[in-house]
Amino acid sequence: MADLVEEASRLCRECQACCDGTMFSMVEVDADELPLESRRRLKIVDGPTHIAQPCRHLEASGCGAYQDRPARCRSYACKQQRDHLESGGDLEARLKKVRAIRAIAARLREVGGSHWELQLRDPLSLPSEVSLDLVELAVRLHRDLGWRPYRKEEPAAPMRAEPSADDPSEP
Ligand code: SF4
Ligand code: SF4
């Protein structure tokens, strides 16, 4: 039987969308985490309670501060990860989805820094292929990762894969 936790960790290593600025432009930090985050020189935005993304702890292999990551990071899990942990399924199909999102986000970053910045521009000023990428990214984020606008009062998603013993750096 497949090791669902290890497979979910692989999904995250190949995705990183919830750490690299694709899904969120910032992440909430609990007040009692601030001294820790300040020591790590994370970029604090929007008052004292959020850290900016792309996260400065994100490394090619995943979270560089995995053991001490903020509570919000510990508890977050996107739709793909929750579904895989709960019921398994076709890992390759899930990987294909997160790779597609990563590719579109990378294309948009080359054009405008981030898709968040591009969305603020006059749509008529954007090349048609960029506009199409923006629409496709929004659809895929909603449909495949379960993205929706963040509401402060909502609890974090309840499940997230912990890394396997030989892979401590999953984001
Ligand atoms: S939790 Fe989801 S969005 Fe975040 S890195 Fe893992 S697969 Fe990607
Ligand atoms: S999991 Fe790690 S890399 Fe991702 S946002 Fe949190 S601290 Fe940053």
Side-chain angles (χ1 to χ4, degrees):
M1 183 179 162
D3 182 337
L4 295 184
V5 172
E6 170 49 32
E7 289 188 350
S9 294
R10 182 175 168 204
L11 195 60
C12 288
R13 285 197 301 276
E14 295 213 23
C15 173
Q16 303 190 342
C18 62
C19 301
D20 70 0
T22 301
M23 286 185 86
F24 309 108
S25 59
M26 61 183 76
V27 172
E28 184 177 355
V29 181
D30 291 340
D32 59 4
E33 292 179 293
L34 279 178
L36 181 66
E37 297 311 309
S38 299
R39 281 204 302 277
R40 294 206 181 102
R41 301 184 304 281
L42 285 175
K43 186 178 174 190
I44 307 295
V45 294
D46 192 26
T49 57
H50 293 78
I51 57 175
Q53 288 208 5
C55 181
R56 291 180 179 177
H57 282 312
L58 184 59
E59 300 172 355
S61 59
C63 178
Y66 192 83
Q67 298 304 329
D68 299 314
R69 67 200 186 287
R72 193 88 194 168
C73 305
R74 282 180 191 278
S75 57
Y76 180 73
C78 73
K79 178 180 184 303
Q80 283 301 315
Q81 202 195 60
R82 286 199 308 275
D83 287 352
H84 200 74
L85 285 169
E86 285 166 6
S87 48
D90 186 344
L91 178 64
E92 282 307 316
R94 298 192 194 284
L95 287 168
K96 198 171 167 186
K97 287 177 181 172
V98 302
R99 286 174 188 144
I101 287 171
R102 195 167 174 150
I104 298 169
R107 279 203 301 275
L108 290 171
R109 270 196 291 275
E110 283 180 13
V111 176
S114 77
H115 67 94
W116 306 107
E117 291 162 27
L118 288 169
Q119 284 166 8
L120 295 176
R121 291 198 201 164
D122 176 0
L124 296 177
S125 72
L126 297 173
S128 57
E129 64 270 20
V130 172
S131 297
L132 287 173
D133 269 350
L134 282 172
V135 171
E136 185 175 353
L137 182 63
V139 168
R140 285 177 179 273
L141 286 176
H142 278 285
R143 183 192 64 197
D144 297 340
L145 298 187
W147 181 90
R148 57 202 165 118
Y150 168 60
R151 294 188 189 90
K152 189 167 179 150
E153 65 273 14
E154 286 182 353
M159 290 178 63
R160 183 177 178 105
E162 292 297 322
S164 58
D166 56 353
D167 173 31
S169 58
E170 174 264 341

